[in-house]
Amino acid sequence: MDFTIPTTDNWQEQLEYIATKKGFNFSQDEDGNITLQKFSPRRQDFTIELVKPLDYKDALDDLNTQLASYDVSEQTMVWYGANRGEPRDLQDLLDDMKWCKNELQSLTDAVDYHYGFTPADYFNESVMKEALSRTFEETGLADRSFSADMQEILLDHMSRYDNPVNGVEEISTHGCVSGVLSDFVYYSDTKEFYTKHIDDIEDFIYDLEDDLGESITLDHPRYNSAVWLVTERCASFVVDSLEENIQNTLEDWSEDLTKEQVEAFLQGNSNELIADNLEETLSFLGEDIEDEQEASLDANSEELPLQSEAPRIVVPSSPVQEQAQAILNARGERNDNTLKTAQEEQVERKSQSHKL
């Protein structure tokens, strides 16, 4: 597992991390201009230019400004008949422009959501994303076309809770009708999701009816009730195994974590499940370091040279420890040189006295 996680000290790295996750290519020129680029379904080169943003907030403000001014109809008419490789069908071009605006919206929302994120926040997101992926694999949900979108929706929701299990438990217990899940409050949102994944949603409901041995009556409009039903069932699966999969994920990753990383991910970490497991990991890493130090010192003591050679202290390497050891070694060498010079001077004085 790669734990190269953005920090608040490098906002460009944060922005690149988020944009790349959203499928954009990220580049920044020597003047500080940032270009975010991806291709649309109709092979339109969709490019977002951020002119010399001063910081993360400045980049977010620029994205919001571009989103507010992006007019789908206007963009469609600008491109229609321009002979730039755009679709000949006006509806196809209109749909492509809608896709571009949705991508800009999704990117802006993600950048806004990650505003002020710490290394602990990024790490928590990575852990919960992996735990969700494991849950969807174990339950067979990963094979559904709605799997990736549903995981992203649930991840966004449960990340807002100190205990992520409570977040998905609210969905499975109270249902989407309670309004607890902001992604599926409006008919327009559920209709879009249903239209995108209609085959797998209906197939999922059919399998559920088969398991129950009875048909499921859905309220009108069907697309809304169907999406709510699928979401609530997915949430219930996650509730049953999320805590276990978070623990399994952290156990699998613990071997790749250093003590410094764990300490950084623990700092200000409000996620109860992850913080508790990181505390245990830190404790184990501390014990391992002590064992390594003792083993190193024991091995060193067995290999101590005779009186003719001064012993040298060997400790596990780290930048601070290596610097300290270098200072000790240098001092030792200076002492040896000083002693050698004194001995030579003494021999020279004796030689001169004999000549007299």
Side-chain angles (χ1 to χ4, degrees):
M1 176 63 188
D2 179 15
F3 294 105
T4 304
I5 292 177
T7 69
T8 53
D9 296 330
N10 189 338
W11 65 268
Q12 292 97 333
E13 188 178 85
Q14 283 183 286
L15 188 61
E16 181 177 4
Y17 175 88
I18 298 162
T20 302
K21 284 180 62 178
K22 287 296 180 180
F24 285 87
N25 294 317
F26 178 99
S27 62
Q28 186 172 22
D29 62 27
E30 57 184 13
D31 294 327
N33 299 307
I34 293 175
T35 301
L36 307 172
Q37 180 270 338
K38 70 190 308 185
F39 286 99
S40 72
R42 296 290 179 176
R43 303 305 297 166
Q44 177 186 166
D45 186 356
F46 179 49
T47 302
I48 302 170
E49 298 283 353
L50 304 178
V51 181
K52 298 181 181 180
L54 301 176
D55 52 26
Y56 190 97
K57 181 64 166 58
D58 195 24
L60 175 58
D61 290 342
D62 196 344
L63 285 172
N64 275 310
T65 300
Q66 295 192 45
L67 177 62
S69 63
Y70 193 100
D71 188 297
V72 171
S73 298
E74 180 181 333
Q75 291 294 323
T76 300
M77 296 312 298
V78 167
W79 280 87
Y80 186 63
N83 295 322
R84 302 179 187 176
E86 72 281 350
R88 291 181 177 272
D89 186 89
L90 183 59
Q91 185 60 53
D92 289 342
L93 184 57
L94 181 64
D95 291 341
D96 210 45
M97 292 304 174
K98 288 181 179 178
W99 180 91
C100 290
K101 183 168 186 177
N102 286 337
E103 291 300 301
L104 177 56
Q105 177 77 66
S106 178
L107 174 64
T108 304
D109 289 344
V111 173
D112 182 48
Y113 174 66
H114 288 83
Y115 180 61
F117 255 37
T118 66
D121 294 321
Y122 281 109
F123 180 73
N124 292 348
E125 185 181 73
S126 298
V127 171
M128 290 190 291
K129 184 176 182 178
E130 174 64 20
L132 271 177
S133 177
R134 294 185 181 208
T135 297
F136 273 60
E137 287 285 348
E138 294 166 358
T139 58
L141 290 170
D143 298 329
R144 304 289 185 179
S145 68
F146 55 75
S147 175
D149 289 340
M150 185 62 72
Q151 288 184 58
E152 185 174 345
I153 289 170
L154 294 178
L155 176 63
D156 177 61
H157 179 74
M158 68 190 200
S159 296
R160 305 174 189 276
Y161 293 74
D162 289 345
N163 187 327
V165 175
N166 294 341
V168 285
E169 193 170 36
E170 281 191 346
I171 299 173
S172 63
T173 302
H174 303 295
C176 294
V177 69
S178 66
V180 66
L181 187 62
S182 59
D183 295 80
F184 291 145
V185 171
Y186 301 104
Y187 282 161
S188 58
D189 295 327
T190 55
K191 185 176 183 179
E192 180 182 352
F193 190 87
Y194 179 82
T195 303
K196 183 178 180 180
H197 305 292
I198 182 172
D199 291 337
D200 265 21
I201 288 176
E202 291 296 343
D203 190 50
F204 179 88
I205 295 175
Y206 175 81
D207 289 344
L208 184 57
E209 289 176 328
D210 190 48
D211 292 339
L212 295 174
E214 59 184 46
S215 61
I216 298 174
T217 303
L218 297 176
D219 295 333
H220 182 76
R222 180 179 178 84
Y223 63 80
N224 187 72
S225 299
V227 170
W228 281 3
L229 175 61
V230 171
T231 304
E232 291 158 11
R233 292 297 297 174
C234 289
S236 67
F237 287 137
V238 173
V239 168
D240 293 338
S241 57
L242 180 61
E243 184 170 357
E244 180 181 354
N245 278 330
I246 285 178
Q247 293 174 346
N248 292 339
T249 298
L250 287 169
E251 286 177 5
D252 292 344
W253 290 1
S254 62
E255 294 182 358
D256 298 321
L257 288 169
T258 66
K259 183 173 179 289
E260 290 75 16
Q261 287 174 324
V262 175
E263 289 174 341
F265 299 151
L266 264 173
Q267 187 174 0
N269 197 324
S270 61
N271 188 306
E272 297 172 359
L273 295 180
I274 294 178
D276 289 345
N277 281 276
L278 283 177
E279 289 283 4
E280 294 182 12
T281 301
L282 185 61
S283 176
F284 291 141
L285 286 174
E287 293 175 1
D288 291 342
I289 291 174
E290 289 180 2
D291 292 342
E292 290 175 4
Q293 289 175 335
E294 291 178 1
S296 178
L297 290 173
D298 290 342
N300 185 58
S301 63
E302 293 175 0
E303 299 175 2
L304 285 177
L306 298 176
Q307 294 289 337
S308 59
E309 184 178 336
R312 306 181 78 180
I313 300 174
V314 178
V315 296
S317 63
S318 75
V320 175
Q321 291 168 334
E322 289 176 357
Q323 183 180 11
Q325 186 64 54
I327 293 173
L328 288 174
N329 294 342
R331 287 176 177 173
E333 292 170 3
R334 285 197 298 271
N335 290 339
D336 291 342
N337 291 336
T338 302
L339 179 60
K340 181 179 179 181
T341 301
Q343 291 174 338
E344 291 175 350
E345 291 176 350
Q346 185 176 7
V347 170
E348 180 66 22
R349 285 197 298 271
K350 288 182 179 179
S351 175
Q352 294 176 354
S353 64
H354 288 310
K355 290 179 181 180
L356 294 173

